[in-house]
Amino acid sequence: MGYIEMEHSFKRYQVGESEIIANNDVSFTIEKGELVVILGASGAGKSTVLNILGGMDTNSSGKVVIDQQDISHYDRKQLTAYRRNDVGFVFQFYNLVANLTALENVELAVEIVEDASDPATVLTDVGLAHRMHNFPAQLSGGEQQRVAIARAVAKNPKILLCDEPTGALDYHTGKQVLQILQDMSRKNGTTVVIVTHNVALAPIADRVIHMHDAKVKAIETNSIPRDIAELEW
Ligand SMILES: Nc1ncnc2c1ncn2[C@@H]1O[C@H](COP(=O)(O)OP(=O)(O)OP(=O)(O)O)[C@@H](O)[C@H]1O
Ligand SMILES: [Mg+2]
């Protein structure tokens, strides 16, 4: 069995008289420590998958197994504990607390977690030792995103979920952020899932899940994922 298994997962929304199917019979497996890219056009159902994996949303039917636990049957309390301890989330627009420094942002996130890493150490790992005491507004977009990654990673999550993490960044800064995410998988053994519509990112992943029209259209595995440095788009 894989580390993460989504099995025949459906997500349906009732909008007035009509039903919208955001995920239509989605199935895939992810192994521990993999870097996975979920690729697809706008509206394909990517964020829906990510939010269900992260316990921020629940599916209508189907299994969602994370490290041998089927979270699709979790009640609210279990989901809260799951989100708190097991999931790191990185969003497109960083979502940092504006009146806290970089260090304080990470400290705040790990306060409620049992086995967290030292915030200053993790910020140093993402290259921000010299910016720790700055506020978000004093940091570049790439630096803010690295704080957001540090904040997610310091929890030592089972899975690191990233929704368009380079969507707001320029080309070079985006590459730096991807390098950190690839290193998290390769060096720390973190399972990283990146959602994007940028097909150029596919070669860096161990596994690529292609989504179209609420369905998984294809899954490919790269036996030799490309280094970010060689990537061009
Ligand atoms: N709360 C909701 N109510 C109704 N429909 C929804 C809701 N959330 C999402 N949808 C619909 O489900 C579909 C999939 O949405 P989702 O956000 O997963 O797409 P996405 O692949 O992440 O797109 P994007 O790249 O634009 O972020 C879309 O058609 C969307 O409009
Ligand atoms: Mg989305």
Side-chain angles (χ1 to χ4, degrees):
M1 196 189 232
Y3 190 61
I4 299 174
E5 303 237 344
M6 201 170 248
E7 221 176 284
H8 301 298
S9 179
F10 288 78
K11 179 67 182 182
R12 304 180 186 89
Y13 290 107
Q14 203 65 43
V15 182
E17 291 290 279
S18 61
E19 188 183 62
I20 292 174
I21 305 184
N23 280 174
N24 189 348
D25 201 10
V26 169
S27 299
F28 57 78
T29 298
I30 293 172
E31 301 299 339
K32 195 173 171 142
E34 279 186 342
L35 176 66
V36 177
V37 165
I38 300 180
L39 201 59
S42 181
K46 309 181 297 294
S47 294
T48 303
V49 166
L50 209 68
N51 291 340
I52 290 169
L53 287 178
M56 299 212 302
D57 201 354
T58 50
N59 64 357
S60 309
S61 63
K63 277 191 190 175
V64 184
V65 180
I66 312 280
D67 193 13
Q68 301 179 50
Q69 301 288 320
D70 187 351
I71 67 164
S72 67
H73 299 297
Y74 275 10
D75 60 25
R76 262 184 50 197
K77 211 173 153 187
Q78 288 173 304
L79 280 176
T80 303
Y82 169 68
R83 278 198 305 271
R84 189 178 280 194
N85 296 307
D86 297 337
V87 183
F89 231 109
V90 175
F91 302 94
Q92 181 173 354
F93 297 108
Y94 334 129
N95 294 15
L96 301 176
V97 182
N99 63 346
L100 297 181
T101 64
L103 183 62
E104 289 163 350
N105 263 280
V106 180
E107 284 172 345
L108 177 69
V110 302
E111 223 161 67
I112 54 171
V113 178
E114 280 164 22
D115 292 310
S117 298
D118 172 51
T121 305
V122 181
L123 280 164
T124 304
D125 289 347
V126 298
L128 289 178
H130 60 304
R131 308 294 272 153
M132 248 182 260
H133 302 293
N134 286 94
F135 292 98
Q138 301 168 327
L139 301 173
S140 71
E143 287 168 341
Q144 290 183 63
Q145 192 59 303
R146 282 187 274 158
V147 175
I149 292 170
R151 177 180 59 183
V153 165
K155 295 167 68 177
N156 287 314
K158 284 184 175 172
I159 45 174
L160 182 57
L161 303 175
C162 315
D163 201 340
E164 298 281 5
T166 61
L169 302 175
D170 66 55
Y171 179 80
H172 287 288
T173 314
K175 274 187 157 186
Q176 282 178 7
V177 163
L178 290 173
Q179 188 66 61
I180 289 168
L181 294 174
Q182 195 179 53
D183 287 348
M184 289 298 164
S185 144
R186 287 190 178 175
K187 296 178 185 165
N188 299 11
T190 308
T191 308
V192 182
V193 183
I194 300 174
V195 156
T196 182
H197 62 269
N198 186 354
V199 292
L201 304 194
I204 69 166
D206 298 300
R207 186 184 305 264
V208 185
I209 299 169
H210 295 266
M211 290 194 70
H212 179 71
D213 222 357
K215 291 186 173 173
V216 173
K217 281 291 157 190
I219 297 176
E220 20 161 4
T221 51
N222 293 325
S223 52
I224 307 174
R226 291 270 290 280
D227 283 328
I228 315 285
E230 306 170 356
L231 205 66
E232 299 281 346
W233 73 84

